[in-house]
Amino acid sequence: IVPKVHLAREAEKLSAAKKDLDVMILEGEKNHEELKDQLSKLETSEKGLSEKYDVAKHKETERNVRALREARAKATEAIIRLKKTTEGDSFQVENIKKVLEEKREAKEKVKRLKVENNVIEVLRHSLRDVVQPVMRKNNVLRVSKAFQDFYQELSNDSIDYAALDDEGTIDITRNGEPSPVNSLSGGETTCAALALRLAICSSLTRNQLLLLDEPTIHLDELYRTKLKDFLGSHSFEQLVVVTHDNTFDSLPAKIFRVEKRRGRSVVSPLQIGGV
């Protein structure tokens, strides 16, 4: 048997719970009405939006969006290219700066060279006006003495004087009378030319390399023999003779024959004393 007191308490709890439920039901009904009203408004709004919706405009908007996205992508690519170009331009600017600096240094160098060149010009003029005349005179004296000795050895004529004047012109005196070069015979002229060449070679050069091209032209047999004996009695570091004359066959250490065969020049060594 449940006590009455306990039942009364349970009844009170149930009554309180019922009241709470009633309140909740009222609030639920109120919320339901509000939701119903909102739903009605949404349906009305949806209907209005459906009436206003333009499919063509929507598609056009989508196309515009796609076009804008493509334009944005192209703009991004262009920016990337511009950045690369800017980097390249920066590199070129640095190179241009280097070139300009090199040009500036070159200009400074040119200025220094001009100053040095002016000094050299002063020295050159001094050399030409002061030193060269002295050197020329001394060289002419040396060559003149050697020329007289060589000419007397090569020539058959008895001469009083054979030398060079201050201008380097051949001056020959025979029997007290001057003998201009243009008055000499062909053989005498050749002897004078050979004597002058030998004098220059022996007086003004360190390496006595003597090149003679057809030295026996205008020389008779006596002069050719004297020239051969003369060359054989003087020691030259190197003597090269180009000739069609076999007078010198017994003189050189080596002989080379040059002859034309079938339109080509052929060089062949010969034995000393050979043909």
Side-chain angles (χ1 to χ4, degrees):
I1 298 172
V2 180
K4 290 182 178 181
V5 176
H6 183 71
L7 291 174
R9 289 177 182 173
E10 289 296 326
E12 288 177 358
K13 289 180 180 180
L14 290 173
S15 177
K18 182 178 180 300
K19 288 180 180 180
D20 291 337
L21 288 173
D22 290 339
V23 172
M24 292 175 66
I25 289 170
L26 289 174
E27 289 179 354
E29 289 177 349
K30 183 179 178 181
N31 290 334
H32 179 268
E33 289 298 327
E34 290 178 354
L35 291 172
K36 184 179 179 181
D37 184 56
Q38 290 178 4
L39 179 60
S40 177
K41 290 179 180 180
L42 287 173
E43 288 176 348
T44 302
S45 177
E46 181 185 7
K47 184 178 180 181
L49 290 173
S50 298
E51 292 175 353
K52 293 179 180 179
Y53 178 70
D54 189 343
V55 177
K57 190 172 183 179
H58 178 75
K59 290 183 178 180
E60 182 181 358
T61 302
E62 287 181 342
R63 288 194 298 271
N64 291 336
V65 170
R66 285 195 298 270
L68 288 173
R69 286 176 179 171
E70 292 175 358
R72 180 186 176 188
K74 290 181 180 179
T76 302
E77 293 177 357
I79 290 171
I80 294 173
R81 288 196 299 270
L82 287 173
K83 286 182 178 179
K84 291 182 179 179
T85 303
T86 302
E87 292 175 356
D89 291 342
S90 299
F91 180 74
Q92 290 182 358
V93 168
E94 291 299 321
N95 286 338
I96 291 173
K97 287 182 179 179
K98 290 181 181 178
V99 171
L100 291 175
E101 180 63 21
E102 291 174 356
K103 286 186 176 181
R104 186 190 65 78
E105 293 177 355
K107 286 183 179 179
E108 293 296 327
K109 187 175 181 180
V110 168
K111 289 182 180 178
R112 292 195 300 270
L113 289 175
K114 285 183 178 179
V115 173
E116 294 174 359
N117 185 64
N118 291 335
V119 175
I120 292 173
E121 281 296 313
V122 173
L123 294 175
R124 188 176 68 84
H125 286 294
S126 299
L127 177 65
R128 183 192 63 189
D129 298 336
V130 179
V131 179
Q132 281 186 351
V134 176
M135 293 178 62
R136 178 184 177 86
K137 184 176 181 179
N138 292 336
N139 288 335
V140 168
L141 290 174
R142 292 169 59 189
V143 173
S144 179
K145 184 179 184 307
F147 169 73
Q148 180 169 347
D149 294 338
F150 288 137
Y151 185 74
Q152 285 178 340
E153 286 189 60
L154 290 171
S155 175
N156 285 326
D157 295 336
S158 58
I159 58 174
D160 301 331
Y161 177 80
L164 303 178
D165 60 17
D166 293 340
E167 298 299 324
T169 303
I170 295 176
D171 183 9
I172 297 176
T173 302
R174 183 187 292 115
N175 298 323
E177 297 292 334
S179 297
V181 175
N182 56 10
S183 68
L184 300 178
S185 66
E188 291 173 339
T189 302
T190 301
C191 286
L194 287 171
L196 180 59
R197 185 178 301 179
L198 292 167
I200 293 173
C201 179
S202 62
S203 302
L204 303 182
T205 61
R206 294 181 180 178
N207 299 322
Q208 293 189 0
L209 169 62
L210 184 60
L211 301 176
L212 299 179
D213 185 10
E214 301 292 355
T216 58
I217 291 180
H218 304 303
L219 296 183
D220 57 20
E221 184 177 355
L222 178 61
Y223 272 115
R224 290 199 298 271
T225 302
K226 289 194 69 172
L227 177 59
K228 183 193 72 170
D229 295 339
F230 171 84
L231 295 176
S233 63
H234 288 75
S235 59
F236 297 95
E237 291 185 9
Q238 192 168 12
L239 172 63
V240 178
V241 180
V242 180
T243 181
H244 289 81
D245 195 336
N246 60 1
T247 302
F248 304 101
D249 285 358
S250 61
L251 181 64
K254 294 181 180 179
I255 299 177
F256 295 90
R257 170 181 288 172
V258 181
E259 56 185 344
K260 185 168 289 187
R261 298 177 186 173
R262 297 180 180 178
R264 298 179 62 184
S265 295
V266 179
V267 180
S268 55
L270 298 179
Q271 295 293 331
I272 301 300
V275 180

